[in-house]
């Protein structure tokens, strides 16, 4: 009996969960203006899907105008999570950056009102053409994902950001538009991807457009004939803001890309080129029904919504309630399989609850839990408008990833509170429950990072995860409220994620998701290990217990030919949350090979091999990552001599840690307080990636660095982007940056001067040193330079004109100046041996310099 009640409950919530992209910020009620906009949006059924390649490609002004002015359901499908980009706000690269940019997109969507989708594609870095892109991504698999999202979202109109014709832009961009064109047709064809049809139906989209911009043509006055012009710069009088203002706020969420944007006010025109279907130059929705006349028997429902809108009062929005409750009953009679009925029902529930002034929040007493832990949850409810509300039931729920049918996950009840309570106007009602975190509760690492990357795609647990943006909240509370107004009443269910709330003395109230961690996590003390000349090396495993009383055995998993001393170690007793360090010595035998070292704790039949890292930025909810505890273990022939290095941090990279590991003295120095006396202590000044884009003090302090070279020091500058430099003169010898880059990591490298000191001292550089580079060779090479600078490397992507600017060497006064666009910031953390050997040669370019004493 109980069992069937539970399953009924599950069925009821199945349909609504994917709509809700949880907000991990403060729970706040809607203003009267937002309620009015809400009842207007319920009357519109149009749907638009915007397609491009990366987080930040999307036109936020178009999305804001679609979602908030046209009031259609707007969504952005980004092929990737942006893993291959650069990071302006921290040191995360690759998958960590993808996690940040996923959250930046979600933050942007909360501002502009659109929704978000992704495919499985991993952003592997820059590619120059769609052909190069499709050598990394299997075209058919990616097309299947785009078709899947179209069949699920059922758009009336699809808009691409990029031109499907070959264009001078990132290969991913053109590829995204080409896939949109193909998917437009394929989604409608039941013979394409028939395996999807057990979950979704074929879908015919009415029209397809390309949303162009002046920057495709390089001029504002491009020929606009043949384009649909849409005016999107209007002002929303109810919200008190224009779409150019919302767009800027949304775009400014892409902080890791430095995309802070200025608010635009006044008329702005978007141009769209019809590509397929009924798209034409008269109207965006030509041939599309965007109201409820497309849904059978919906007239009475629409009439109730219109009455609600007519009854709206800014001081008493609850006057809409009798009509909204009527609309609720009428909508319940319509066919639930229809996407408009299903989705608008959820929006209507939310609007009814908000019109009644219901506020609720569910919080746990801490933010970290492991399997078997007891969790205390507190639910607070409040009715803030003068409306008759009863709280009838509370369902305390946990997420379950074994969904059925379309849904990749669902929530199941762990406990129920059945007391009916009358809500008293403006008096908080609290409920508490204690639940146990079950052994089947999924861990909190992002679902797309749980398995290894496979041929350019994230390996997802099941097809149904395609399109899903982020992990659903681990725990949720669903409350039933009986709301009565004007003689009508209805029971509305409202779900809230369980969050942790705390007060930061500077930031004020903050929220974060609840994380479920393994009972123990482990990490290596360094990002990678080298054995130089087959010497034994020491490493430490840092173990952190997340559960009191955990016991187990720790051992290393080593590449062929290595052994560890001790072979294994029993974990010592320690308190929950505290760190313990365990030292091992690893010894390479004669036939040892380079590879990875992993750490594993065995406890009974269970194995624990995950490390814990968190990504914390003010504009995003805290992200918990649980990657495998593993690090590169390399045999390397590397000679080094003592040097003292002053490191000037740019946008953030991990070189200082790696250089210290090689035995160099590295101080990260503050440019603003730099003076000749401080500089005298160093042999080398090394600037971090994009230092000349991000450190404004370099504009005034750069002459000090030139003097340092003049007096015999070595200045090495890593890559900067050509736009937004803080000074026109980067180094003591002039050069000019271009946008040239080498994106194929296996591409040919020609050494132009094989007898040059940089290629020989102290390490002899050979072709083998350019093996196993990752993602790219380098970027933003100088395109022209002073004749006193010697280019040392010639790099070329297959079929392209070679560049000689990747590594430049020049003597200035008694010192040496080196500029390099090589991607040391990617290769060094990844433990690429050749990159280490070359970087050491750069640092030791001046061999005769006696190491200075502080
Ligand atoms: Zn892009």
């Amino acid at each position: 009996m109980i069992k069937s009640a539970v399953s009924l409950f599950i069925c009821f919530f199945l349909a609504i969960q994917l709509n809700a992209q949880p907000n991990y910020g403060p729970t706040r009620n809607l203003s009267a203006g937002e309620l009015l906009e809400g009842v207007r949006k319920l009357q519109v059924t149009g749907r638009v899907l915007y397609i491009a390649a990366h987080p930040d490609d999307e036109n936020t002004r178009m999305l804001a105008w679609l979602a908030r002015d046209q009031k259609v359901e707007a969504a952005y499908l980004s092929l990737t999570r942006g893993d291959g980009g650069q990071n302006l706000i921290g040191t995360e690269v690759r998958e960590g950056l993808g996690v940040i940019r996923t959250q930046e997109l979600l933050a942007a969507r909360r501002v502009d009102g659109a929704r978000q989708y992704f495919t499985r594609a991993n952003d592997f870095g820059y590619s120059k053409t769609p052909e190069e892109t499709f050598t990394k991504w299997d075209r058919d698999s990616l097309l299947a994902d785009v078709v899947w999202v179209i069949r699920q979202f059922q758009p009336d109109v699809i808009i691409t950001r990029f031109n499907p014709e070959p264009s001078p832009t990132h290969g991913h961009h053109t590829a995204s538009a080409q896939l949109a064109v193909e998917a437009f047709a394929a989604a409608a064809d039941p013979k394409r991807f028939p395996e999807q049809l057990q979950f979704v139906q074929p879908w015919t989209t009415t029209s397809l457009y390309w949303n162009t911009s002046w920057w495709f043509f390089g001029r504002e006055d491009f020929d606009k004939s043949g384009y649909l012009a849409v005016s999107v710069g209007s002002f929303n009088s109810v919200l008190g803001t224009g779409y150019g203002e919302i767009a800027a706020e949304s775009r400014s969420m892409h902080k890791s890309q430095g995309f802070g944007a200025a608010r635009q006010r006044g008329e702005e025109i978007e141009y769209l080129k019809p590509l397929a279907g009924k798209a034409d130059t008269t109207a965006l929705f030509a041939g599309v029904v965007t109201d409820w006349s497309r849904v059978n028997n919906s007239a009475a429902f629409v009439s109730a919504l219109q009455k609600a809108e007519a009854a709206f009062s800014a001081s008493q929005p609850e006057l809409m309630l009798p009509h909204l409750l009527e609309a609720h009953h009428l909508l319940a009679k319509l066919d639930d399989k229809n996407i408009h009925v299903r989705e608008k029902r959820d929006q209507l529930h939310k609007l009814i609850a908000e019109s009644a002034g219901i506020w609720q929040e569910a919080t746990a007493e801490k933010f970290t839990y492991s399997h078997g832990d007891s969790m205390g949850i507190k639910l607070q409810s409040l009715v803030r408008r003068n409306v008759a509300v009863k709280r009838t039931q509370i369902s305390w729920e946990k997420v379950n990833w074994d969904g059925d049918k379309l849904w990749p996950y669902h929530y199941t009840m762990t406990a129920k509170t059945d007391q009916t309570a009358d809500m008293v106007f403006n008096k908080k009602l609290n409920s508490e429950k204690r639940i146990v975190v079950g052994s089947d509760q999924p861990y909190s690492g992002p679902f797309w990072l749980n398995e290894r990357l496979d041929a350019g795609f994230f390996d997802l647990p099941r097809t149904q995860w395609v399109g899903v943006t982020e992990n659903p909240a681990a725990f949720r509370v669903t409350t039933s409220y009986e709301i009565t107004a004007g003689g009508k009443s209805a029971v509305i269910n409202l779900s809230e994620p369980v969050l942790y709330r705390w007060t930061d003395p500077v930031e004020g109230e903050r929220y974060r998701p609840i994380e479920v961690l393994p009972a123990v996590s482990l990490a290596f003390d360094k990002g990678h290990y080298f054995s130089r000349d087959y010497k034994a090396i020491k490493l430490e495993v840092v173990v952190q217990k997340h559960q009191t009383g955990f016991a187990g055995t720790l051992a290393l998993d080593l590449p062929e030919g290595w052994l560890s001393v001790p072979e294994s170690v029993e974990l010592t007793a320690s308190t929950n949350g505290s760190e313990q360090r365990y030292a091992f010595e690893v010894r390479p035998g004669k036939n040892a090979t380079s590879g990875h070292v992993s750490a594993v704790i065995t406890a009974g039949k269970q194995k624990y091999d995950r490390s814990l890292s968190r990504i914390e930025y003010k504009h995003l909810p805290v992200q918990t990552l649980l990657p495998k505890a593993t690090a590169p273990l390399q045999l390397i022939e590397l000679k080094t001599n003592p040097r003292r290095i002053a490191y000037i941090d740019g946008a953030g990279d991990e070189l200082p840690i790696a250089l210290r590991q090689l035995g160099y003295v590295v101080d990260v120095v503050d440019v603003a307080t730099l003076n000749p006396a401080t500089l005298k202590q160093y042999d080398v000044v090394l600037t971090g990636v994009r230092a000349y884009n991000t450190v404004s003090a370099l504009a005034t302090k750069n002459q000090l660095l030139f003097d340092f070279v003049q007096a015999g020091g070595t200045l090495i500058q890593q890559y900067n982007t050509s736009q937004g430099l803080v000074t026109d003169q980067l180094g003591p010898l002039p050069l000019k940056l271009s946008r040239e880059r080498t994106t194929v990591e296996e591409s040919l490298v020609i050494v132009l001067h094989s007898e040059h000191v940089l290629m020989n001292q102290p390490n002899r550089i050979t072709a083998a040193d350019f093996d196993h580079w990752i993602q790219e060779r380098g970027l933003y090479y100088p395109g022209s330079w002073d004749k006193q600078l010697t280019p040392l490397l010639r790099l070329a992507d297959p079929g392209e004109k070679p560049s000689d600017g990747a590594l430049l060497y020049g003597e200035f006064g008694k010192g040496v100046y080196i500029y390099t666009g090589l991607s040391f910031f990617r290769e060094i953390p990844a433990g690429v041996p050749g990159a280490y050997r070359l970087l050491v040669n750069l640092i030791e370019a001046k061999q005769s310099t006696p190491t200075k004493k502080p």
Side-chain angles (χ1 to χ4, degrees):
M1 198 55 214
I2 286 169
K3 203 173 171 204
S4 71
V6 170
S7 61
L8 262 181
F9 219 80
I10 294 166
C11 289
F12 185 78
F13 293 112
L14 259 181
I16 66 169
Q17 68 205 353
L18 280 192
N19 258 333
Q21 290 175 347
N23 176 12
Y24 294 108
T27 42
R28 84 172 179 90
N29 283 109
L30 298 183
S31 68
E34 288 166 317
L35 291 174
L36 179 60
E37 289 292 280
V39 74
R40 287 174 175 168
K41 184 156 180 147
L42 278 174
Q43 297 168 54
V44 181
T45 62
R47 302 173 75 85
V48 178
L49 180 63
Y50 201 93
I51 299 180
H54 307 116
D56 78 17
D57 287 345
E58 79 279 18
N59 181 346
T60 55
R61 190 173 66 190
M62 191 83 204
L63 288 173
W65 176 81
L66 284 166
R68 300 214 186 272
D69 181 87
Q70 296 295 292
K71 299 191 169 49
V72 298
E73 296 300 329
Y76 173 43
L77 168 60
S78 174
L79 294 186
T80 74
R81 296 173 185 268
D83 318 81
Q86 290 132 40
N87 182 356
L88 206 74
I89 56 172
T91 57
E92 296 85 359
V93 288
R94 295 165 78 89
E95 284 73 25
L97 179 61
V99 170
I100 291 175
R101 297 184 69 187
T102 295
Q103 289 300 323
E104 289 183 337
L105 267 187
L106 295 177
R109 293 299 81 80
R110 286 193 281 271
V111 173
D112 59 38
R115 329 178 184 175
Q116 188 59 47
Y117 289 99
F118 294 102
T119 74
R120 286 170 295 162
N122 170 249
D123 177 4
F124 55 79
Y126 196 83
S127 69
K128 287 172 177 162
T129 61
E131 291 72 32
E132 186 192 328
T133 297
F134 288 123
T135 62
K136 297 274 167 74
W137 290 338
D138 178 63
R139 188 175 185 134
D140 229 40
S141 304
L142 193 50
L143 179 63
D145 285 8
V146 179
V147 166
W148 168 261
V149 170
I150 292 172
R151 285 173 174 172
Q152 209 180 84
F153 181 70
Q154 301 179 14
D156 299 306
V157 176
I158 294 178
I159 302 176
T160 69
R161 168 82 284 196
F162 298 102
N163 188 351
E165 303 297 327
S167 314
T169 181
H170 197 322
H172 294 178
H173 291 165
T174 310
S176 73
Q178 292 179 347
L179 286 167
V181 172
E182 269 185 78
F184 179 83
D189 183 351
K191 291 203 237 16
R192 301 302 305 274
F193 312 109
E195 69 284 358
Q196 295 179 359
L197 301 181
Q198 55 177 317
F199 306 116
V200 288
Q201 296 297 307
W203 180 253
T204 304
T205 306
T206 306
S207 47
L208 176 69
Y209 291 91
W210 164 37
N211 176 202
T212 192
S213 168
W214 67 268
W215 41 263
F216 284 100
F217 304 94
R219 49 194 290 183
E220 298 255 11
D221 61 343
F222 65 94
D223 179 8
K224 298 178 179 80
S225 55
Y227 288 86
L228 165 70
V230 182
S231 175
V232 296
S234 35
F235 176 68
N236 185 315
S237 166
V238 174
L239 299 177
T241 183
Y243 303 109
E245 291 166 296
I246 297 174
E249 208 184 306
S250 169
R251 188 143 191 83
S252 299
M253 289 297 169
H254 295 302
K255 296 188 194 302
S256 70
Q257 306 307 299
F259 272 7
R263 291 180 172 79
Q264 296 165 335
R265 298 176 183 91
E267 188 182 75
E268 297 285 347
I269 308 290
E270 292 289 345
Y271 293 94
L272 296 114
K273 184 177 183 182
L275 293 180
K278 291 185 183 163
D280 70 18
T281 53
T282 61
L284 183 58
F285 293 106
V288 179
V289 177
T290 59
D291 62 20
W292 278 89
S293 62
R294 71 206 299 180
V295 178
N296 289 338
N297 307 316
S298 59
F301 166 70
V302 175
S303 153
L305 291 179
Q306 287 164 347
K307 283 182 199 148
E309 187 181 338
F312 172 81
S313 145
S315 55
Q316 280 182 288
E318 62 271 26
L319 294 178
M320 295 197 294
L321 270 176
H323 308 289
L324 292 178
L325 292 169
E326 170 76 8
H328 167 80
H329 291 301
L330 292 165
L331 190 61
K333 292 178 191 159
L334 301 183
D335 182 4
D336 210 26
K337 287 193 201 74
N338 184 302
I339 193 166
H340 308 295
V341 175
R342 199 166 62 231
E343 291 194 354
K344 296 294 181 186
R345 185 189 61 194
D346 304 336
Q347 292 170 19
L348 178 60
H349 285 180
K350 176 93 179 133
L351 194 72
I352 290 172
E354 285 288 346
S355 301
I358 295 174
W359 170 88
Q360 64 174 16
E361 181 178 279
T363 49
E365 73 242 308
K366 54 181 188 138
F367 57 83
T368 292
Y369 293 88
S370 288
H371 294 168
D373 286 350
S374 156
M375 171 194 259
I377 306 174
K378 181 177 175 185
L379 173 76
Q380 300 181 76
S381 308
L382 180 63
V383 172
R384 319 178 81 175
R385 293 197 168 97
N386 214 337
V387 176
V389 178
K390 280 190 176 102
R391 197 173 74 183
T392 58
Q393 193 192 61
I394 306 165
S395 168
W396 312 83
E397 299 162 356
K398 62 166 190 170
V399 76
N400 188 323
W401 285 22
D402 302 318
D404 59 355
K405 297 271 177 77
L406 185 55
W407 314 113
Y409 56 85
H410 63 260
Y411 284 87
T412 48
M413 196 192 295
T414 60
K416 191 164 77 160
T417 304
D418 254 339
Q419 282 159 338
T420 297
D422 282 314
M423 302 284 297
V424 179
F425 171 67
N426 217 22
K427 290 239 193 281
K428 256 193 266 177
L429 189 60
N430 296 339
S431 284
E432 285 177 29
K433 200 79 191 173
R434 200 151 268 288
I435 64 167
V436 173
V437 179
S439 59
D440 56 348
Q441 187 77 34
Y443 294 135
S444 292
F447 66 87
W448 64 95
L449 298 180
N450 276 349
E451 302 295 329
R452 283 189 154 277
L453 265 171
D454 185 19
F457 290 112
F458 294 113
D459 189 5
L460 303 187
R462 290 175 319 128
T463 325
Q464 292 93 312
W465 285 95
V466 174
V468 178
T469 54
E470 62 173 337
N471 288 17
F475 302 93
R476 192 175 83 163
V477 178
T478 297
T479 320
S480 304
Y481 294 100
E482 188 187 296
I483 300 168
T484 307
K488 302 224 164 43
S489 82
V491 175
I492 300 295
N493 299 292
L494 279 187
S495 296
E496 293 305 327
V498 178
L499 302 175
Y500 175 71
R501 173 165 46 83
W502 79 103
T503 307
D504 179 283
V506 177
E507 297 301 322
E509 205 171 52
R510 309 256 354 237
Y511 292 78
R512 62 190 288 167
I514 300 300
E515 53 186 24
V516 179
L517 303 180
V520 63
S521 61
L522 47 174
F524 287 101
D525 64 334
K526 296 191 176 110
H528 44 263
Y529 300 94
F530 294 113
S531 164
R532 288 160 73 172
D533 308 319
Y534 284 79
K535 288 197 190 84
I537 50 176
K538 290 192 162 56
L539 58 79
E540 283 189 340
V541 180
V542 185
V543 172
Q544 193 182 3
K545 291 179 186 172
H546 306 291
Q547 202 158 49
T548 312
F550 181 87
T553 311
L554 168 66
L556 301 181
D557 192 2
L558 290 159
E560 195 86 31
W562 294 74
L563 60 89
S564 84
V565 180
E567 212 169 300
S568 67
V569 54
E570 293 302 314
L571 299 188
T572 46
S574 64
T575 48
N576 193 6
S578 73
E579 277 185 8
Q580 297 280 309
R581 300 172 85 92
Y582 299 89
F584 292 85
E585 188 173 274
V586 296
R587 300 172 184 164
K590 274 206 182 69
N591 45 12
T593 55
S594 291
H596 282 77
V597 54
S598 307
V600 185
I601 293 170
T602 311
K605 282 182 185 153
Q606 282 284 85
K607 291 209 184 299
Y608 298 89
D609 62 356
R610 298 280 155 172
S611 65
L612 166 65
S613 69
R614 295 193 179 94
I615 295 177
E616 302 191 37
Y617 291 103
K618 263 195 284 187
H619 65 304
L620 308 173
V622 176
Q623 297 297 296
T624 306
L625 276 65
L626 296 167
K628 205 165 182 275
T630 184
L633 178 60
Q634 307 265 6
L635 291 160
I636 185 170
E637 261 183 69
L638 182 71
K639 298 194 190 76
T640 57
N641 298 290
R643 291 288 188 276
R644 295 182 65 87
I645 302 170
Y647 198 84
I648 295 174
D649 231 341
D653 57 61
E654 293 173 354
L655 259 57
I657 304 163
L659 293 173
R660 285 184 196 122
Q661 208 182 328
L662 296 181
Y664 295 123
V665 175
V666 184
D667 296 326
V668 177
V669 296
D670 175 14
V671 181
T673 59
L674 215 54
N675 59 58
T678 339
L679 277 175
K680 261 198 187 133
Q681 303 167 28
Y682 298 100
D683 305 300
V684 178
V685 173
L686 178 53
T687 62
V689 295
R690 293 202 305 284
Y692 287 88
N693 300 117
T694 56
V695 183
S696 53
L698 275 171
T700 46
K701 295 284 189 174
N702 218 14
Q703 185 58 46
L704 273 186
L705 301 184
F706 302 169
D707 296 344
F708 167 75
V709 179
Q710 179 92 49
T714 299
L715 171 62
I716 307 169
Q717 292 168 338
Q718 296 187 73
Y719 100 92
N720 296 279
T721 59
S722 49
Q723 300 266 312
L725 291 165
V726 299
T727 171
D728 290 337
Q729 198 187 347
L730 290 178
L733 298 168
L735 54 80
K736 206 165 159 37
L737 298 183
S738 75
R739 295 176 63 90
E740 283 177 32
R741 58 208 294 171
T742 334
T743 62
V744 177
E745 59 267 40
E746 308 88 3
S747 60
L748 183 68
V749 178
I750 294 169
V751 176
L752 295 171
H753 301 280
S754 60
E755 296 315 309
H756 195 276
V757 61
L758 287 194
M759 295 297 131
N760 291 283
Q761 293 295 335
N763 301 294
R764 169 117 186 108
I765 302 298
T766 68
D769 289 306
F770 295 98
D771 287 346
H772 309 302
W773 283 48
I774 58 156
Q775 186 158 334
E776 64 193 354
R777 294 287 191 199
L779 60 175
Y780 292 98
Y781 304 142
S784 58
W785 48 85
D786 189 271
K787 61 179 187 307
Q788 291 184 70
L789 284 162
T790 308
L792 287 154
L793 300 176
R794 174 165 295 164
L795 291 97
D797 276 342
E800 300 241 335
K801 186 170 80 61
S803 313
D804 288 355
L807 178 58
L808 300 175
Y809 170 96
E811 282 161 20
F812 180 75
K814 294 183 192 156
V816 166
Y817 169 55
I818 295 170
Y819 189 94
T820 180
L822 292 172
S823 297
F824 288 113
F825 74 107
R826 294 195 195 279
E827 313 308 323
I828 296 296
V832 176
Y836 271 88
R837 289 159 47 81
L838 184 57
L839 181 62
V840 163
N841 284 13
L842 268 48
I843 288 165
E844 300 188 19
K846 263 190 79 75
Q847 300 148 68
S848 56
T849 316
T851 292
K852 295 172 187 179
K853 294 282 167 331

